[in-house]
Amino acid sequence: MRFEKPTGTQDFLPGTVEKWQFVEDKARDLCRRFNYREIRTPMFEQTELFERGVGETTDIVEKEMYTFIDKGERSMTLRPEGTAGVVRAYVQNKLYGEPDITKLYYMGPMFRYERPQAGRYRQFHQFGVEVFGTADPSIDAEVITLGYLFTKELGLSGVKVEINSVGTPAVRAAYRDRLLAFLMPMKDSLCSDCQSRMERNPLRVLDCKKDQDKFGGAPSILDSLDEECSTHFEKVKAYLDAMEVEYEVNPRLVRGLDYYTHTAFEFKAQGIGAIDTVGGGGRFNGLVGEIGGPDQPGIGFGIGMERIMLILEHQNIELNAVKPLDVYLVGLGEAADREITKILFKLRSEGFSAERDYLGRKMKAQMKSADRLQARYTAILGDDELARGEIALKSMETGEQRTVRLDDLAKELGL
Ligand code: ATP
Ligand code: MG
């Protein structure tokens, strides 16, 4: 019997994991600077939460959910995205009762039953933020800037911010009619998903990947915005201008759910083909209410980590991710070997990264091992040195070797 990982999943091995940690650390550090705090919610929730929170007419709910009946005969779903669970936790834990607005971030695996390909998996990972408790356009701009800075500080080039306003439900109702008038004549030429969405949620038709190129002449939702929506959108753009964040207005960028309001945005990379969207988000002033909470506005984004890793690779960006070992200890002789074990433990307790040989290998093989681990130093202890309370310390960078007092070893290694 041979076992293999499930289709569309990945094993992240040492060497790769360090890169992921580097990117995750970047996200955490940015969130600290922007004053967003981490929230961790369950990896599965009641199915109905996603049906409501993500929307019945989305690809996710229509085709991609990992849904199962648990032993208590409840329908559960592995989370396909982060927002619904965070909103549920915000409501259930009454975070809206706190005096300040709520600024949260999350990171972790998401699950969607999709056809795997480059940049598309069944288990993938997102970094996302959600802000609750204010409809102020300055927060829209802040959230966009956070995502933008994340890609910038990782060194990615050519990432574009696209923004749009999807208005309010009333605005969309008016736009819906104009859009339908445009779509009707081409109905027969559209894919079956588009045809069914034309009836249930025409805005989502604009999201279709297959028929995208047919919508060039579609009416712009921006022409349907009312005064309140235009003002909000103008303010968001003005804030972005003030921060010198470059963006492009894309009037066909829609998130066709009833509770999405005002700002919608995406981060797009170039040169990685159909999977060029690294992340997206928007304002959802109706969602908290939809999930059973008070009428609190929210906004957030989700960024796909696999896509980020893919672009880093594509753009040949080397992350300075591997941390070299401080010292590799070599013991020559039985007594020295025992002493090495003691020193190893002491150094590790003091905060150094230290390693030794466990295979009884010759000195030369041990030195090679030290090289592979990119050790800064090798410390060699023979029975003679041991008798004198000394150890030979070799800098692997310069090749220089000197004898130091065993008691001074930690000091010599520095930290
Ligand atoms: P796509 O159009 O690529 O299917 P989406 O609209 O389904 O993306 P969102 O739900 O907005 O994506 O999720 C935000 C981000 O999460 C995406 O931009 C992408 O980077 C990432 N993502 C979504 N689905 C997957 C997946 N199956 N595998 C890897 N990353 C994914
Ligand atoms: Mg998708």
Side-chain angles (χ1 to χ4, degrees):
M1 185 93 184
R2 257 183 68 216
F3 295 106
E4 289 184 3
K5 62 183 186 312
T7 305
T9 65
Q10 298 191 86
D11 294 318
F12 298 103
L13 304 179
T16 299
V17 167
E18 285 84 352
K19 292 182 186 153
W20 277 74
Q21 289 172 338
F22 183 94
V23 173
E24 289 159 1
D25 287 348
K26 174 60 74 188
R28 284 183 206 288
D29 184 56
L30 260 179
C31 286
R32 180 188 59 78
R33 285 183 268 150
F34 278 69
N35 190 35
Y36 286 63
R37 300 179 69 190
E38 185 175 358
I39 183 166
R40 301 186 184 191
T41 64
M43 227 85 87
F44 61 95
E45 301 265 2
Q46 268 171 274
T47 301
E48 205 189 330
L49 173 68
F50 299 116
E51 287 168 351
R52 280 177 173 244
V54 181
E56 306 264 11
T57 55
T58 55
D59 276 348
I60 295 180
V61 172
E62 280 183 343
K63 314 175 197 165
E64 299 172 356
M65 295 211 296
Y66 271 96
T67 297
F68 60 96
I69 304 297
D70 74 5
K71 291 190 198 297
E73 284 171 16
R74 285 168 289 254
S75 178
M76 294 291 169
T77 295
L78 299 184
R79 63 178 187 197
E81 54 91 59
T83 305
V86 173
V87 172
R88 198 264 315 130
Y90 173 78
V91 172
Q92 187 171 359
N93 296 285
K94 300 192 174 60
L95 298 184
Y96 48 79
E98 292 176 359
D100 288 315
I101 65 164
T102 310
K103 307 207 309 183
L104 303 169
Y105 77 93
Y106 62 83
M107 243 186 294
M110 306 293 161
F111 306 86
R112 296 184 194 178
Y113 196 83
E114 299 203 65
R115 202 164 55 80
Q117 50 190 286
R120 194 176 294 288
Y121 300 91
R122 291 184 177 172
Q123 175 174 334
F124 64 101
H125 301 76
Q126 279 186 349
F127 156 49
V129 309
E130 315 288 356
V131 180
F132 301 96
T134 177
D136 195 276
S138 65
I139 272 291
D140 303 38
E142 176 178 293
V143 164
I144 292 170
T145 321
L146 203 170
Y148 172 77
L149 205 52
F150 177 62
T151 65
K152 271 273 165 272
E153 289 192 3
L154 287 171
L156 298 178
S157 58
V159 175
K160 266 193 341 197
V161 180
E162 290 191 357
I163 64 170
N164 192 24
S165 172
V166 297
T168 55
V171 164
R172 276 199 301 282
Y175 175 64
R176 189 175 174 274
D177 294 341
R178 292 176 55 217
L179 182 60
L180 274 176
F182 166 81
L183 292 173
M184 264 323 182
M186 60 172 77
K187 185 169 184 185
D188 293 339
S189 73
L190 299 179
C191 73
S192 57
D193 278 345
C194 280
Q195 295 194 10
S196 98
R197 280 178 192 160
M198 268 177 74
E199 277 150 37
R200 296 188 297 151
N201 192 345
L203 263 72
R204 286 213 72 88
V205 173
L206 295 179
D207 245 2
C208 177
K209 289 189 191 76
K210 284 183 229 144
D211 292 329
Q212 201 42 251
D213 44 335
K214 297 183 182 138
F215 305 138
S220 163
I221 192 167
L222 295 175
D223 298 332
S224 298
L225 295 187
D226 60 20
E227 173 114 20
E228 181 215 338
C229 295
S230 307
T231 306
H232 186 95
F233 194 45
E234 289 310 314
K235 283 187 181 165
V236 174
K237 289 192 288 182
Y239 282 120
L240 292 175
D241 290 336
M243 290 184 277
E244 293 178 27
V245 172
E246 274 177 57
Y247 60 84
E248 236 170 69
V249 175
N250 174 2
R252 278 190 302 281
L253 175 68
V254 291
R255 308 216 143 211
L257 303 180
D258 291 344
Y259 32 77
Y260 278 110
T261 45
H262 301 291
T263 318
F265 56 92
E266 281 186 352
F267 304 105
K268 285 194 175 157
Q270 273 143 2
I272 58 164
I275 43 148
D276 64 353
T277 307
V278 293
R283 185 164 269 293
F284 44 80
N285 289 355
L287 184 56
V288 177
E290 177 71 23
I291 300 299
D295 186 25
Q296 286 284 349
I299 179 167
F301 68 66
I303 288 181
M305 297 292 244
E306 281 78 2
R307 306 260 170 109
I308 293 281
M309 303 311 288
L310 199 70
I311 304 165
L312 283 169
E313 205 170 302
H314 192 82
Q315 297 187 352
N316 288 317
I317 297 169
E318 279 289 326
L319 300 178
N320 194 13
V322 175
K323 299 203 174 68
L325 194 73
D326 290 320
V327 60
Y328 190 93
L329 295 165
V330 180
L332 304 171
E334 214 174 295
D337 188 71
R338 206 173 315 118
E339 186 66 18
I340 283 296
T341 307
K342 209 173 93 187
I343 301 170
L344 189 68
F345 182 67
K346 186 159 169 278
L347 288 173
R348 286 170 171 172
S349 316
E350 285 168 350
F352 293 96
S353 57
E355 188 52 299
R356 57 160 291 169
D357 170 68
Y358 302 94
L359 298 170
R361 288 178 299 192
K362 298 252 160 45
M363 166 101 169
K364 202 170 152 204
Q366 294 197 33
M367 295 305 274
K368 275 197 187 148
S369 186
D371 265 337
R372 279 194 298 275
L373 293 167
Q374 298 178 30
R376 286 165 51 224
Y377 289 98
T378 321
I380 304 150
L381 189 68
D383 286 344
D384 292 348
E385 283 101 346
L386 179 58
R388 291 197 302 270
E390 291 175 346
I391 190 163
L393 188 63
K394 182 180 178 187
S395 160
M396 299 299 274
E397 199 192 328
T398 63
E400 180 218 358
Q401 183 165 332
R402 64 212 156 84
T403 305
V404 303
R405 305 255 344 131
L406 262 178
D407 293 338
D408 294 338
L409 182 57
K411 203 169 75 207
E412 295 287 338
L413 291 171
L415 196 64

